[in-house]
Amino acid sequence: MGRLIALLGALIAAALIAWTMQQPPKPLPASAPATAFSAERAAVDIKAFAAQPHPIGSDANHAARDYLLGRMTALGLAPQIHRGIGVQPPRRTPGVVVGGNVENLVGVLPGRDRSAPAVALMAHYDSVPASPGAADDAAGVASALEIVRAIKAQGVPARDVMVVITDGEEAGLLGANAFFRRDPLARRVGYVFNLEARGDAGRVQMFQTGAGNGGSVGLLKRTASRPQASSLSVFVYERMPNDTDFTESKRAGVPGMNYAFAGRQFDYHSPSSTPATMDPGTLQDMGQQVLAPVRAAAFDAALPAVSPDLTYSQVFGNFVLAYPPAMGWLILLAAAALIGLAVVRARRIEAFPWTDVARGAGATLFAALGATTVLHFARRATGAGFGFMEQRFLLAQVTRWEIALILLGLGFLLAAASEIGRGRRQIAFLPLVAGLGCSLFGLDPVGLGMGVAATLVGLAAYGRPVSRPGAWAGVLALGLVLAAVAQALAPTTAFVLAWLLALGALGAAATDLSARRGAPAFIILGGFAALGLGWIGGYAHETFIMLDLAELMTLSLVGAALVIWPLAQPAEGAPPERLIGPALMIIGLAVTVAVRVNDPYNARFPEASNVIYQADQTAHRAWLASATPDRPAWTEAVLKSGGGKIDKLKSWVWARAVEAAPAPYLAQPAPDINLAKQPDGTLLLRAVPPAGGHEIALGLTPNTPTTLVSVDGVPVDMPLAAGALSRLRWNAAPQGVSLVLRPAGPGRLEVQYNARMGRWPAGLPPLPKRPANLMPFGDSDTSYLTGARSFTW
C-alpha cells in the first residue's frame, strides 16, 4: 500500500508542480510602482490601436502608426518614421521573393554614453489582414513601450535604449529586413530583445538567442523572473520553418533574445485575437520577463559578451541552470557511477538475473513505441486533419485534447511498468490494435508500422516476471544510452534526459535501486518522481502547444520513466497499482471520443469561413472560392449563390486546389503591367495594381534563363529558370513595383498576376450575415483579380 500511496502522491504533486509552473503572474494594476511593469498600463495601448485589423499599407495601419508616434513622443523617444523597402526570398521557399514598402518607427531613450552600442526593444505593429492582432503583436509593442517607460522612471541608463517598432512582419519580416540590411541606424544596435506571439495566453518563453549565447544566458540567469527558457527550444526552433523579426537581427550578427507566448493558439492570426481576449497575466509575464534583462543591459557598463553557447534550462522559480555543453558528459558519468553503485548494492540485497536488466530496457522501449502508437491513434481518431487550418477543431477545445493525450500517454507508461512485474505478454498486442485502428480513419501505414514495431519489442521484453530492481536498472541503462547519444549529436538538448537520469540515479542509489522498502524509501522515490515529472511536464506542455505532433510527447514520457518506474511497477500478482495505467487509458480514450463528437464552435471560438471572389480578367471568368478545409452551411450557400456547382479550382494563386463555384464575371480595371528594354540590355518590368489593390503577386515564367537583378532598386540576383514559375509578392503596393531582369538572350516572358483587392466587389450582392459561431478568416470577403500578359524581346 505504501508504494501505491507514493505513486498517487507523486502523480498529484507532479500535476500541481507542472500546473503552477505554467501559470502566468498576476497582472499589476496601473497604480503599481513607476519602475515596475504594469499589464493594466500596457493594455491601454493594445485597446487603442489593435481594435481592428491593421495590415501593412492599410488605412488602419497608418492610424496605428500615428497613435504609436504620439505615444513614443510622450515617452520622450523623439520617434521618426523610417520608410524603406523590405525584399527577401523566404529561406525555405525557393523561387519566391516577397517585398513591400514599410514604415518602421524608431525612437531612442538617450543614455549617458550616446556612443555606446544601444539596447533595442523590437516588436511589430502590423497585423494579418483578418485579425486585430491584439496579441500578435500589439502585446509586444505595448510591452516595449511600458518597459521603456519603467526604465526611464528608474533614471538615465548607461546607454541608449532604442525602440524599433517594425512594419510588415506578417508579410515576410519586411520591416526588420529593411532596418537591419539598409538602415544606417541599425549599426548602432548592440543587443536586441524581440517580443512576439503565437497565441494570446500562457507563459512567455525566451525561445531563441543570437549566436554565441553564453553572455546572454549569463544575463538571463542573473536577472530571471520565473523564466521559461532552454537551449532545447533554441535547437528546435532553429530547425522549424518559422521566422520572426529576430531572424533578421540574428542574420545581421546582432546578439539578443527572442520572447513569445503561444497558449490559446486558436486566436493566432484570427479575428478573435482582440484586446478583450488577450490574457492580462500573459501580458504581465511578457513585461516582467523582458524588463529585468533589458534593465540590466541598459544600466550595466557593458552589454552581454558573445561567447560559446551554453546548455541551459529553467528549473523552478527564478533558477536557471547553465553550463558548457561538454560538462554534460560529467553529468552522465556521475549518473552512470550512481547507477552502477545502486545495481551492485541491490544485487547484494536481492539478487536478480542480468536478463532482468535487458527486459527492463526492452519494456522502456516498448512503452515509448507503444505510447507513440496510441497517441498517433488518438490524433487520427479526433477526425481533425493536419495543417494550420485543419487543427482549429482541436484548438477550439485545446484543454480537453491535452488532457486526453496526457491520460493516454501516462496511462500506457504506467501499464507497461506494471505488467513487466507480472510477465504477461497480452499488453504487447495493445499497440498492434492501436496501429490497426489508425487505418479505420484512412489507410495509415505509419501507424501500423509503429504498432508492429512496438508489439515485436513487447513480445521480446515480456513473457516472464521481472524484478523491480532489475527492470529499473534496465530503464536507467537505456536512459543513459539515449542521453549519451543526444550528448554526442546535439549536446545542448541532452539535459532533458540527463537531468532526469541523474535524479533517477540518485533515487536508485538512495534506495539501492528500490530494493529497500519502508516509508523513507517511498518518500525519496515519491519526492524525486514528483519533482522530475513536474519539471518534464512543463516540456510536455510546451511540445503540445507548439507542435501538432502528439507523438512527440513520448519524449517526455521516456524521461518520466526514469523516475516513476520503481513506483509504477508493483509486486508480482495483482495489486491495485496495476490498475492505474489501464484506468488512465480508458479515461483518456473516453475524453478522445468526447473531443471527436463535440462541436467546439461558439461565439467565443467561432469556426473559420473563407469566401473570395476571384475574377480571371484574361478568360473573363469568375468564381466564388473558399480556401478553408471545412465547408460550413453559410459558406456552401454563398458559393452556390451564383447558381453554379461547387468543384475544385486549381490556380497558381492558391497553394492547393480550393472549392469554388462559378460566379458572374464583373469587368473591373486591371493592373498596369508593361515591359521595356533598357540601354544596358536589361529589361524593366513595371506592375501597378488597380486603385484599391493592397498587394500584387506576379508569376514569372521566362523561356530563356533570366536573372531577377533587383526589385524596386534592391539587389536580389535570383535566377529564373527557363520554363519554371517564379513568384513575387509585393505588399503595400499602390505605387506598384519595378523589376529589373537580365535575360540570357532573346525570348519571351509569361507574366501572371493576382491583384488582391481589400474589398468585396460592388457589383455583387453583399455577403449575408454570418451566424455567431462563424467568423471570416484570412483574405475572406475580398476579391482577387487574376490574369496574364506575354512579352517578347
Side-chain angles (χ1 to χ4, degrees):
M1 185 59 70
R3 194 173 304 277
L4 175 60
I5 294 173
L7 174 60
L8 293 176
L11 293 176
I12 294 171
L16 290 174
I17 291 171
W19 181 84
T20 301
M21 289 177 63
Q22 297 305 316
Q23 298 309 298
K26 182 180 179 181
L28 293 184
S31 58
T35 56
F37 183 95
S38 163
E40 186 175 353
R41 287 191 289 249
V44 173
D45 289 326
I46 297 176
K47 293 174 184 176
F49 81 93
Q52 62 178 321
H54 45 284
I56 177 176
S58 65
D59 291 341
N61 184 260
H62 297 155
R65 173 202 64 196
D66 294 342
Y67 170 81
L68 293 171
L69 282 173
R71 283 286 290 117
M72 295 169 76
T73 300
L75 288 168
L77 305 182
Q80 295 180 339
I81 301 175
H82 287 231
R83 294 182 173 88
I85 296 174
V87 177
Q88 66 172 325
R91 58 186 176 127
R92 290 184 174 90
T93 313
V96 176
V97 174
V98 297
N101 301 291
V102 296
E103 295 183 320
N104 295 328
L105 311 179
V106 183
V108 177
L109 178 66
R112 291 190 300 273
D113 185 355
R114 302 301 308 277
S115 65
V119 173
L121 279 161
M122 182 165 63
H124 68 89
Y125 73 95
D126 64 304
S127 74
V128 295
S131 175
D136 181 19
D137 190 26
V141 172
S143 295
L145 296 179
E146 172 66 1
I147 287 168
V148 78
R149 183 211 56 76
I151 290 175
K152 182 180 181 181
Q154 184 169 331
V156 180
R159 64 192 67 252
D160 287 356
V161 178
M162 189 181 298
V163 179
V164 181
I165 309 299
T166 65
D167 188 15
E169 191 272 352
E170 300 293 1
L173 318 182
L174 302 184
N177 175 272
F179 182 76
F180 285 103
R181 298 200 188 191
R182 286 173 285 280
D183 193 323
L185 195 61
R187 291 195 288 270
R188 290 209 53 226
V189 177
Y191 200 88
V192 63
F193 293 85
N194 188 54
L195 285 65
E196 257 291 358
R198 193 180 171 83
D200 67 3
R203 291 299 313 279
V204 172
Q205 278 207 46
M206 195 285 285
F207 65 97
Q208 187 183 21
T209 66
N213 66 26
S216 295
V217 176
L219 175 65
L220 182 72
K221 284 184 61 179
R222 180 162 53 93
T223 63
S225 176
R226 290 189 66 217
Q228 294 279 293
S230 76
S231 50
L232 174 66
S233 65
V234 173
F235 179 88
V236 172
Y237 183 79
E238 292 184 351
R239 285 155 181 78
M240 292 173 62
N242 300 41
D243 287 303
T244 69
D245 280 344
F246 193 81
T247 301
E248 287 295 325
S249 63
K250 183 173 182 178
R251 188 176 289 156
V254 181
M257 302 187 208
N258 201 2
Y259 290 80
F261 49 90
R264 210 155 57 202
Q265 285 193 38
F266 181 89
D267 296 320
Y268 177 61
H269 285 181
S270 167
S272 59
S273 180
T274 66
T277 60
M278 178 66 222
D279 188 328
T282 296
L283 186 60
Q284 184 68 40
D285 197 24
M286 175 70 87
Q288 287 184 186
Q289 284 204 47
V290 180
L291 172 58
V294 171
R295 175 183 283 138
F299 285 92
D300 283 354
L303 290 173
V306 174
S307 57
D309 288 346
L310 296 178
T311 296
Y312 66 95
S313 172
Q314 79 278 356
V315 184
F316 298 109
N318 294 339
F319 185 59
V320 175
L321 181 59
Y323 50 81
M327 191 176 290
W329 290 113
L330 297 180
I331 295 175
L332 296 184
L333 183 62
L338 288 171
I339 294 168
L341 177 65
V343 169
V344 170
R345 288 182 174 178
R347 297 191 80 233
R348 290 174 181 171
I349 298 171
E350 179 183 327
F352 56 83
W354 291 109
T355 54
D356 281 6
V357 178
R359 288 181 180 273
T364 310
L365 184 58
F366 166 75
L369 291 173
T372 302
T373 308
V374 169
L375 295 176
H376 183 75
F377 166 79
R379 180 61 178 84
R380 295 296 305 274
T382 63
F386 294 87
F388 174 68
M389 294 301 299
E390 288 82 354
Q391 68 166 328
R392 295 187 63 78
F393 173 79
L394 298 176
L395 295 177
Q397 47 185 332
V398 66
T399 301
R400 183 185 294 118
W401 173 226
E402 184 175 14
I403 289 172
L405 293 178
I406 291 172
L407 292 173
L408 287 168
L410 185 59
F412 192 89
L413 171 62
L414 296 179
S418 66
E419 288 301 308
I420 194 68
R422 305 175 72 200
R424 297 188 178 184
R425 280 180 167 162
Q426 288 88 333
I427 192 173
F429 295 99
L430 181 56
L432 180 61
V433 173
L436 290 168
C438 292
S439 292
L440 294 175
F441 315 103
L443 183 62
D444 187 354
V446 173
L448 180 58
M450 290 190 300
V452 170
T455 294
L456 292 176
V457 172
L459 290 174
Y462 294 77
R464 70 167 184 79
V466 177
S467 67
R468 187 185 303 111
W472 193 19
V475 174
L476 295 174
L478 180 63
L480 181 62
V481 170
L482 294 176
V485 170
Q487 179 68 33
L489 299 180
T492 58
T493 70
F495 72 91
V496 178
L497 281 177
W499 295 3
L500 289 169
L501 179 68
L503 193 63
L506 282 171
T511 63
D512 290 337
L513 215 61
S514 79
R516 299 189 184 278
R517 296 174 176 82
F522 291 143
I523 291 173
I524 291 172
L525 293 174
F528 282 7
L531 291 174
L533 288 177
W535 180 75
I536 197 64
Y539 279 98
H541 176 68
E542 292 168 16
T543 302
F544 171 78
I545 64 173
M546 291 303 298
L547 300 167
D548 183 23
L549 290 170
E551 300 85 352
L552 287 182
M553 295 182 74
T554 300
L555 298 176
S556 297
L557 291 176
V558 172
L562 300 173
V563 292
I564 198 67
W565 198 280
L567 297 178
Q569 181 177 340
E572 292 185 34
E577 296 99 306
R578 71 182 180 86
L579 301 178
I580 295 178
L584 292 180
M585 281 195 292
I586 291 171
I587 299 172
L589 183 60
V591 177
T592 303
V593 172
V595 168
R596 181 182 177 93
V597 302
N598 179 56
D599 180 2
Y601 300 117
N602 51 46
R604 170 59 185 91
F605 297 102
E607 185 175 7
S609 63
N610 177 272
V611 174
I612 291 173
Y613 176 78
Q614 180 177 341
D616 185 334
Q617 295 182 307
T618 302
H620 289 190
R621 298 181 63 193
W623 300 266
L624 291 172
S626 175
T628 53
D630 299 320
R631 192 200 308 168
W634 181 91
T635 301
E636 183 164 356
V638 172
L639 295 186
K640 291 181 176 179
S641 62
K645 178 183 177 182
I646 298 176
D647 204 347
K648 292 293 184 180
L649 173 65
K650 294 182 178 180
S651 171
W652 75 279
V653 305
W654 301 104
R656 59 186 177 186
V658 298
E659 292 186 321
Y665 176 77
L666 302 175
Q668 301 178 70
D672 181 13
I673 302 177
N674 56 74
L675 184 76
K677 191 168 184 178
Q678 304 290 95
D680 62 358
T682 61
L683 305 172
L684 178 63
L685 178 67
R686 178 78 180 155
V688 181
H694 64 86
E695 177 188 307
I696 187 165
L698 301 177
L700 309 176
T701 308
N703 71 346
T704 186
T706 302
T707 299
L708 175 59
V709 178
S710 65
V711 180
D712 258 22
V714 177
V716 175
D717 290 326
M718 186 178 86
L720 310 181
L725 177 68
S726 301
R727 304 166 188 260
L728 168 78
R729 190 176 76 243
W730 196 254
N731 298 269
Q735 305 304 317
V737 60
S738 297
L739 286 70
V740 175
L741 306 168
R742 182 183 296 112
R748 183 179 69 255
L749 178 67
E750 302 293 337
V751 180
Q752 301 176 79
Y753 67 82
N754 175 27
R756 298 192 179 194
M757 315 297 290
R759 62 177 183 268
W760 190 250
L764 289 181
L767 289 169
K769 183 179 179 180
R770 287 175 169 85
N773 65 344
L774 202 65
M775 64 180 173
F777 206 91
D779 280 345
S780 188
D781 304 7
T782 64
S783 55
Y784 290 177
L785 303 181
T786 65
R789 301 280 192 275
S790 182
F791 302 97
T792 59
W793 60 90

